[in-house]
Amino acid sequence: METFEKSSLTIVTLLIILANSIFCPLLVESCNAIDAEALLHFKRGITSDPQPQSKLKTWVRRTNCCAEWQGVSCDPANGRVDGISITGFRDEGGVDPLFGLVGTLSPFLGNLTYLQYLYFTDLGGLMGPIPPELGKLSHLTSLSLTNNLLNGSIPSSLGNLRKLKYLYLGHNSLSGTLPYSLFKSLKSLLTLELEGNQFTGSIPSLISNLLSLEKIYLKQNNLSGVIPLGISKLKQLNYIDFSYNRLTGNISDSIGTLSKLQSLFLNHNKLSGFIPNSVGKLSQLQDLFLDHNKITGIIPKSVGKLSKLQTLYLDHNRLTGHIPSSIGGLISLQILNLGDNKLTGVLPSSIGNLSQIQMIVLENNMISGKLPPTMGHLTTLFSVLFSNNKFVGQIPSSFANLKLYTLQLSNNQLIGPLPPQFANASIYILDLSYNPLGLKQIPDWLFKLNIHNLTLAGTGIKGKLPQSISSPPYITHLDLSNNQIIGKLPSWIGNMSILESLNLSNNRFYSAIPVEFSNLHQLSVLVLHSNNFTGSLDIVFNKVGWEYTSIDVSSNRFSGPLDINIGDKPAMRSITSLILSKNPLGGTIPLSIGKLYGLQVLQMVSNRLSGRIPKQLGKSEGLTSLLLSRNKLTGSIPKEVLNLEKLQVFDVSRNQLSGEIPPHNSSIPASAFSRNLGLCGAPLPPCKPTEVAGDRIGVGWPSSSVVGASPSFPPSMDVGLPQKSSTQGEFAADFPSLIPDIQSVC
């Protein structure tokens, strides 16, 4: 009996073992030693793995890499590592370093001979070359190293990865030419992603070998040459992105054979020639981007056959002719951009058939005729950009049916009156500037539209500024320039508390700036030039709240010296452009302007400025334009100013400057220094022996008579003498009768 029980137990045990061997794979206690060492070698090459998101903290020798190492997977049948997936985090701002790794790729990764996928994606800090040893991973089907700092060329050994289906190397710093080995051997490849690198040369013609290829991304490189004709053999292609390169030549008519193509991005290249008629055969096409090239000819009628097309960008080319009426066949179209071409003729009424359209851009063409009333049927349309054309007639009343966010019709030949039906619209951005609308007065109903951005420049507005303009609570940008508005700037302007940009230039305003102006806390752009404003500018500079980015108050009658602390004013900290020309401003240039470190443009022409050019201006390292002509400035030109690295435009002509012009690298013409009788040196004639540069020796004075000496006067003459008369130019201005005539010496 006992023997029978033992034999029965043995049979049951064997059955259990047999069942486990059939239904449960053999569990391996630890990963392969070769694989573990390869992974640890990679970890040793990582110099930063931030806590608490540390990716590799579980990678320790005493634990099982197959079971406990983050991002590592193994084949349970043999215990070999078959996958690595270590990914970071990326959003619109780029890769988040808190989720990344910094280090290099170890060549020992090539020892993971059973590896099928390798993902080191969005880590941001992997640098150095791609190890050629990765070419030994004969089982690899997916390789992703995107969004890192890898450099060097792609190893030709990657062409050995015959099973590879997905290759992602985008957004690194890889360079060199595209290796032929990739295009010759990787016949299983489905996706090739190399965008955002520094590759040069042409796209290899061997691309025709990749017959399985479905998606190819070569965007944002420096690739040149033509698009290979062999690409038309890749019948499985559904996505092509060659944008932002330097490709030349034509778009081949053979492109029409890619019947599965859904997205074609060829924008931002140097392509020329015509849009082929065969593009109409791409029946699955959803995205067509040909913008920013040199494409000529007409828009082919066949484009209207693309019933699945959702986005069409043809802007910044050289297209001519009419917009074909067949465009009405694009029933799925959401965005149409034909701007910046040379299109003529009228806008076809079939545009009203684009029932899914959201944005239409036609700006900067020569399209004429009336605006089609059929556009009023486009209930999904929210943005119309038709500026800089030749549209005539009135704005159709049907436009009031549109739920527009943006309506830009500036620089056309449209006439008034504006349709009162617009009172029921909901436009946020309205630009009707430079049309012969003959508005005379701004319609009150216009301010019921919840407008945020209103531009009515050059539309014939006359009279005083209506107070109704301050009633809309949401206006952030207001441009009423180039009209005939007259009167004082009203105190109620301070009620427009969220105004960010104000342009009232080229009108007939007079008066000082009201104290209520200080309530415009969010104002950052102020343009008041070409009026008759008077008084001090202190109210402008003393505003609190948001910082200015640009101020232009030129060609007015603002007076008084500038506040010596202008550079310390909180509102001026971010100023990039300050234009004060053609005002009777007296006094000196405040030294504190040198504290405006972001200043790029400073124009103070035809003022009444005196004194010296502050060398402190040399601290505004971003200055590209400095115009100080037609003033009464004296002394020498500071070398710190003339040698600003970014300085492109400089003019100090028609002043009273003296001394030798400091050596400088900028190409500044002689006219920029003219009408300063005391200046000499390149680009003006060279200084004479008696003309010594600097402040110690004056033009025309013998050096022995002035070095180390100063004129002596009776005590009674000391009263009222200049406190700082360190240059001959300044001295001559104060006491012209006490020195020789400058012209007779120079």
Side-chain angles (χ1 to χ4, degrees):
M1 183 67 178
E2 182 179 356
T3 303
F4 174 79
E5 289 178 351
K6 289 182 179 180
S7 61
S8 299
L9 181 61
T10 302
I11 293 172
V12 171
T13 302
L14 289 174
L15 289 174
I16 292 174
I17 294 174
L18 179 61
N20 283 335
S21 66
I22 294 174
F23 298 105
C24 299
L26 180 64
L27 297 178
V28 179
E29 293 183 358
S30 61
C31 68
N32 183 275
I34 296 176
D35 294 350
E37 185 58 36
L39 295 174
L40 290 173
H41 198 280
F42 166 74
K43 181 179 179 180
R44 286 193 289 271
I46 299 302
T47 58
S48 177
D49 184 10
Q51 298 284 351
Q53 289 82 17
S54 175
K55 308 288 186 183
L56 307 181
K57 62 182 177 182
T58 59
W59 290 27
V60 291
R61 191 180 298 275
R62 65 178 180 272
T63 58
N64 181 2
C65 75
C66 291
E68 301 178 55
W69 289 18
Q70 179 182 345
V72 177
S73 69
C74 297
D75 184 341
N78 57 20
R80 300 301 299 266
V81 172
D82 63 358
I84 304 174
S85 180
I86 304 294
T87 60
F89 177 79
R90 176 172 57 93
D91 56 18
E92 293 180 356
V95 173
D96 189 335
L98 292 178
F99 295 84
L101 293 177
V102 177
T104 58
L105 290 175
S106 169
F108 278 72
L109 292 173
N111 292 340
L112 301 171
T113 53
Y114 284 83
L115 199 65
Q116 296 181 31
Y117 63 89
L118 175 60
Y119 300 143
F120 290 142
T121 305
D122 297 334
L123 297 176
L126 294 182
M127 58 190 71
I130 298 174
E133 288 79 2
L134 295 187
K136 299 190 299 182
L137 303 176
S138 58
H139 293 282
L140 202 65
T141 60
S142 298
L143 174 60
S144 178
L145 304 173
T146 59
N147 284 295
N148 283 290
L149 299 173
L150 299 171
N151 56 30
S153 58
I154 298 178
S156 59
S157 60
L158 295 191
N160 298 329
L161 305 178
R162 304 297 176 88
K163 294 183 179 180
L164 198 65
K165 294 183 178 181
Y166 305 97
L167 178 59
Y168 297 91
L169 302 178
H171 300 286
N172 282 284
S173 296
L174 299 170
S175 58
T177 58
L178 301 178
Y180 281 80
S181 60
L182 294 185
F183 298 90
K184 181 180 180 180
S185 305
L186 302 185
K187 296 184 179 181
S188 297
L189 205 62
L190 300 179
T191 300
L192 176 61
E193 193 263 300
L194 304 176
E195 69 178 39
N197 282 287
Q198 301 166 19
F199 294 116
T200 56
S202 59
I203 302 172
S205 59
L206 287 174
I207 193 173
S208 59
N209 290 342
L210 307 181
L211 297 178
S212 300
L213 198 64
E214 296 176 352
K215 294 178 172 62
I216 180 167
Y217 305 80
L218 299 180
K219 177 182 178 180
Q220 288 180 329
N221 281 286
N222 291 308
L223 298 171
S224 56
V226 301
I227 300 172
L229 291 176
I231 200 170
S232 61
K233 297 181 179 179
L234 309 183
K235 306 301 183 183
Q236 303 304 313
L237 273 177
N238 59 59
Y239 196 104
I240 298 175
D241 192 346
F242 293 165
S243 61
Y244 293 90
N245 280 286
R246 295 185 294 164
L247 300 176
T248 55
N250 301 343
I251 303 172
S252 172
D253 195 61
S254 62
I255 195 77
T257 63
L258 300 177
S259 59
K260 295 186 178 181
L261 197 61
Q262 297 178 14
S263 298
L264 178 60
F265 295 89
L266 302 178
N267 49 300
H268 289 83
N269 279 287
K270 298 181 179 180
L271 299 173
S272 57
F274 301 158
I275 300 174
N277 284 320
S278 64
V279 74
K281 298 179 180 179
L282 303 176
S283 58
Q284 302 301 309
L285 200 63
Q286 299 177 17
D287 305 294
L288 178 58
F289 285 65
L290 304 180
D291 55 284
H292 292 80
N293 280 288
K294 299 178 180 179
I295 299 172
T296 56
I298 64 172
I299 300 173
K301 295 179 181 179
S302 60
V303 167
K305 298 179 180 180
L306 303 177
S307 59
K308 294 185 178 181
L309 197 66
Q310 297 178 12
T311 52
L312 176 59
Y313 282 80
L314 301 179
D315 50 303
H316 283 286
N317 281 292
R318 300 171 183 175
L319 298 172
T320 55
H322 298 188
I323 298 174
S325 59
S326 62
I327 201 165
L330 303 179
I331 56 175
S332 300
L333 198 65
Q334 298 176 15
I335 298 177
L336 172 64
N337 191 337
L338 306 179
D340 297 284
N341 280 287
K342 299 179 180 180
L343 298 172
T344 56
V346 299
L347 183 60
S349 60
S350 61
I351 197 85
N353 296 335
L354 307 182
S355 57
Q356 303 299 315
I357 198 71
Q358 299 176 16
M359 176 185 291
I360 304 177
V361 182
L362 302 179
E363 59 189 4
N364 302 317
N365 280 286
M366 296 179 286
I367 303 171
S368 57
K370 294 184 177 182
L371 296 169
T374 54
M375 288 183 61
H377 304 153
L378 304 177
T379 56
T380 60
L381 186 62
F382 68 81
S383 187
V384 173
L385 285 74
F386 287 4
S387 297
N388 298 304
N389 279 284
K390 297 182 179 181
F391 287 110
V392 297
Q394 292 179 278
I395 301 173
S397 58
S398 63
F399 273 40
N401 300 329
L402 303 176
K403 298 178 181 179
L404 289 176
Y405 183 91
T406 301
L407 178 60
Q408 296 185 356
L409 301 174
S410 64
N411 286 288
N412 280 284
Q413 299 171 20
L414 298 170
I415 60 174
L418 297 179
Q421 292 88 344
F422 267 37
N424 300 318
S426 57
I427 302 173
Y428 287 80
I429 299 174
L430 178 63
D431 185 356
L432 303 178
S433 57
Y434 303 106
N435 281 285
L437 294 174
L439 290 183
K440 295 185 179 180
Q441 293 182 343
I442 306 174
D444 286 341
W445 56 259
L446 198 60
F447 303 111
K448 299 179 181 179
L449 302 182
N450 294 325
I451 290 180
H452 287 61
N453 188 327
L454 177 62
T455 304
L456 296 176
T459 54
I461 302 171
K462 297 181 179 180
K464 294 183 178 181
L465 198 64
Q467 187 168 357
S468 56
I469 205 169
S470 66
S471 58
Y474 304 116
I475 289 187
T476 58
H477 301 272
L478 177 63
D479 185 349
L480 301 178
S481 61
N482 292 280
N483 283 293
Q484 299 179 47
I485 305 174
I486 193 169
K488 298 180 179 181
L489 186 63
S491 59
W492 52 254
I493 195 74
N495 297 338
M496 306 182 71
S497 57
I498 66 170
L499 199 63
E500 299 174 16
S501 174
L502 175 63
N503 188 344
L504 299 177
S505 61
N506 277 298
N507 278 287
R508 297 163 60 188
F509 286 99
Y510 58 85
S511 77
I513 304 296
V515 293
E516 290 81 1
F517 182 89
S518 60
N519 294 331
L520 303 182
H521 301 305
Q522 298 187 22
L523 193 67
S524 59
V525 176
L526 177 63
V527 185
L528 300 179
H529 72 78
S530 306
N531 280 284
N532 287 302
F533 286 109
T534 58
S536 171
L537 284 168
D538 288 348
I539 293 176
V540 173
F541 300 143
N542 289 333
K543 179 186 73 72
V544 296
W546 290 14
E547 300 166 357
Y548 288 113
T549 57
S550 65
I551 295 175
D552 185 351
V553 293
S554 60
S555 299
N556 279 287
R557 295 163 54 195
F558 290 111
S559 59
L562 294 173
D563 190 328
I564 61 173
N565 297 315
I566 184 175
D568 297 309
K569 302 292 184 182
M572 303 296 289
R573 290 173 183 165
S574 299
I575 195 82
T576 60
S577 178
L578 179 60
I579 303 177
L580 307 176
S581 302
K582 297 182 180 180
N583 282 286
L585 298 171
T588 60
I589 301 175
L591 306 184
S592 64
I593 289 184
K595 297 181 181 180
L596 304 177
Y597 302 121
L599 197 61
Q600 300 174 18
V601 175
L602 177 60
Q603 296 182 10
M604 304 172 73
V605 176
S606 295
N607 297 120
R608 296 177 182 176
L609 299 171
S610 58
R612 305 171 65 85
I613 300 174
K615 66 179 181 181
Q616 286 83 353
L617 288 180
K619 295 181 180 179
S620 297
E621 297 180 353
L623 267 178
T624 61
S625 176
L626 178 59
L627 304 182
L628 302 175
S629 60
R630 297 176 181 268
N631 282 289
K632 298 179 180 180
L633 300 172
T634 57
S636 59
I637 300 174
K639 62 181 180 181
E640 295 88 349
V641 175
L642 203 54
N643 281 285
L644 283 166
E645 184 178 354
K646 297 182 179 180
L647 193 64
Q648 300 174 7
V649 180
F650 180 80
D651 194 340
V652 292
S653 62
R654 295 176 181 265
N655 279 286
Q656 300 170 16
L657 300 171
S658 60
E660 184 174 17
I661 298 172
H664 53 280
N665 298 323
S666 301
S667 179
I668 301 174
S671 60
F673 303 97
S674 65
R675 303 291 185 95
N676 287 279
L677 297 181
L679 283 181
C680 57
L684 297 180
C687 299
K688 296 181 180 180
T690 56
E691 298 172 341
V692 181
D695 294 338
R696 294 182 303 163
I697 301 177
V699 176
W701 285 66
S703 60
S704 60
S705 66
V706 290
V707 174
S710 61
S712 61
F713 299 97
S716 61
M717 294 186 63
D718 290 342
V719 180
L721 285 178
Q723 296 300 309
K724 294 183 180 180
S725 183
S726 58
T727 70
Q728 183 273 338
E730 290 176 318
F731 189 78
D734 293 318
F735 301 100
S737 62
L738 297 180
I739 64 171
D741 180 65
I742 293 177
Q743 293 185 0
S744 65
V745 177
C746 295

